Every structure is written in structure tokens, then in C-alpha cells.
């Protein structure tokens, strides 16, 4: 499948699932612990060779779109821009640059399960932590913030792995 067409499909799919399905699920008072944010996968899955300015532009438009629908006034845009900027550092934290093939799109099949958990887990944990910290704009109840971040990161990783097994063709 063409990379640009694939990106458009993933962009729309992740937005629809996030905005119209996951954001609509409420489990009462525990909703704060079960509120996965999956659209950051679009930024994290991009090919290794993507230029930083292209990744930042994609992050800006994705974050702006989500902010418009969620009425969060730039919160998602800010967090996604920072995540896009730090993406390569998270990736090379788990592995050296020589370990990856050129033209590689990052997913559970190309990274392997261990690297998937490390890279996507670290990146999504950072994304959730920063998002929830900026959302409450306080260090009060910091341990509850960490619990929210950890539970939502685990739920997001499981959902993303499920979607990848369901959608991405295995080679």
C-alpha cells in the first residue's frame, strides 16, 4: 500500500476511534483511569527517514484536529509536538540506529514485541504523563497522576497492539 495513502487511512481511523468511540465510553468514577489516548500512534509509527519538520507539521495538524473536537485549547497540539520532537531520542534509547532497516515503518511486527513495549510504552507513557500533568496543571495528587498515566498507558498499548494485529498485514 502506498505510504501516503496508508498515512491518510491511519490518520482518519485513529481520529474516528478516539473521538467517537473511546471518548464516548464512560465507566463512572473510574473513567479517569480508563481513558486511553491512541492518536499519538500516528506520529510514533512514521518511517524512520521522515524529516523532523514533516513530523512536526503532521503533529501540529493532528493535535489541532483533536483539540478542535475535544475542546482542549492546544493541549493535544503541545503534547504531540513535544512527542514528535523527542521521538527519535526515545527510539535510539532502546536501540542503535544501525539496528533498523531503511524504509521501516514502526509497528509491533517490525520492532518485535520487546522493542514495541519499550519504545511505544516509553513514548506513550511520556505522552500521557505530560497530557495529564498539563490538564490538571498541578503536582497535587502526583501519585494519582502516575496511576492514571500508567493505567492509561497499559490500556493504550493493548488497544494499539490489537489494532495492529487486526489491520497491518503480516509479512
Amino acid at each position: 500500500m502506498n505510504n501516503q495513502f496508508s498515512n491518510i487511512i491511519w490518520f482518519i481511523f485513529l481520529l474516528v476511534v478516539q473521538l467517537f468511540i473511546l471518548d464516548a465510553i464512560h465507566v463512572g468514577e473510574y473513567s479517569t483511569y480508563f481513558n486511553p489516548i491512541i492518536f499519538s500512534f500516528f506520529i510514533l509509527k512514521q518511517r524512520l527517514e521522515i524529516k523532523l519538520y514533516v513530523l512536526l507539521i503532521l503533529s501540529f495538524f493532528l493535535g489541532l484536529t483533536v483539540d478542535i473536537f475535544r475542546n482542549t485549547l492546544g493541549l493535544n497540539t503541545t503534547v504531540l509536538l513535544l512527542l514528535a520532537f523527542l521521538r527519535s531520542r526515545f527510539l535510539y534509547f532502546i536501540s542503535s540506529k544501525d539496528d533498523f532497516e531503511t524504509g521501516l515503518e514502526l509497528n509491533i511486527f517490525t520492532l518485535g514485541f520487546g522493542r514495541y513495549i519499550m519504545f511505544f510504552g516509553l513514548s506513550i507513557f511520556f505522552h500521557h504523563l505530560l497530557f495529564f500533568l498539563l490538564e490538571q496543571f498541578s503536582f497535587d495528587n502526583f501519585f494519582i497522576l502516575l496511576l492514571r498515566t500508567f493505567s492509561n498507558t497499559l490500556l493504550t498499548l493493548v488497544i494499539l497492539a490489537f489494532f495492529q494485529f487486526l489491520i497491518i498485514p503480516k509479512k
Side-chain angles (χ1 to χ4, degrees):
M1 188 181 313
N2 185 349
N3 187 38
Q4 293 165 337
F5 182 70
S6 173
N7 276 341
I8 292 169
I9 297 298
W10 272 107
F11 186 92
I12 293 169
F13 174 74
L14 290 172
L15 278 176
V16 167
V17 169
Q18 180 69 54
L19 297 172
F20 300 113
I21 297 174
L22 294 177
D23 287 353
I25 297 174
H26 294 285
V27 287
E29 65 187 60
Y30 300 108
S31 288
T32 186
Y33 298 104
F34 301 104
N35 184 20
I37 303 172
I38 64 167
F39 54 84
S40 61
F41 177 71
F42 178 77
I43 301 303
L44 297 172
K45 78 168 203 60
Q46 296 300 316
R47 295 188 184 276
L48 294 173
E49 294 81 25
I50 192 168
K51 301 285 186 207
L52 181 60
Y53 73 91
V54 174
L55 196 61
L56 290 173
I57 290 170
L58 290 172
S59 299
F60 177 78
F61 284 115
L62 178 61
L64 184 64
T65 305
V66 173
D67 282 333
I68 289 170
F69 280 99
R70 291 176 115 191
N71 196 24
T72 50
L73 298 173
L75 181 62
N76 291 294
T77 305
T78 303
V79 175
L80 277 179
L81 283 170
L82 191 57
L83 181 66
F85 185 73
L86 296 174
R87 174 183 173 257
S88 62
R89 287 165 183 81
F90 289 140
L91 185 61
Y92 298 128
F93 177 73
I94 66 160
S95 191
S96 70
K97 190 173 187 172
D98 300 333
D99 288 346
F100 300 107
E101 302 171 15
T102 57
L104 185 68
E105 190 172 271
L106 303 175
N107 59 48
I108 197 167
F109 304 113
T110 58
L111 288 177
F113 187 73
R115 284 186 180 167
Y116 166 79
I117 293 296
M118 289 175 60
F119 171 64
F120 282 95
L122 177 66
S123 302
I124 291 172
F125 183 82
F126 172 78
H127 176 266
H128 280 75
L129 180 65
L130 190 58
F131 179 83
F132 293 137
L133 188 60
L134 289 174
E135 183 181 48
Q136 78 180 29
F137 207 66
S138 170
F139 283 105
D140 290 345
N141 301 321
F142 186 71
F143 293 110
I144 292 175
L145 174 80
L146 285 178
L147 180 62
R148 282 179 68 192
T149 303
F150 187 70
S151 65
N152 284 309
T153 299
L154 286 178
L155 187 57
T156 301
L157 285 173
V158 169
I159 290 170
L160 289 176
F162 173 73
F163 284 148
Q164 289 176 70
F165 276 107
L166 201 63
I167 296 171
I168 297 174
K170 293 120 194 111
K171 296 178 182 174

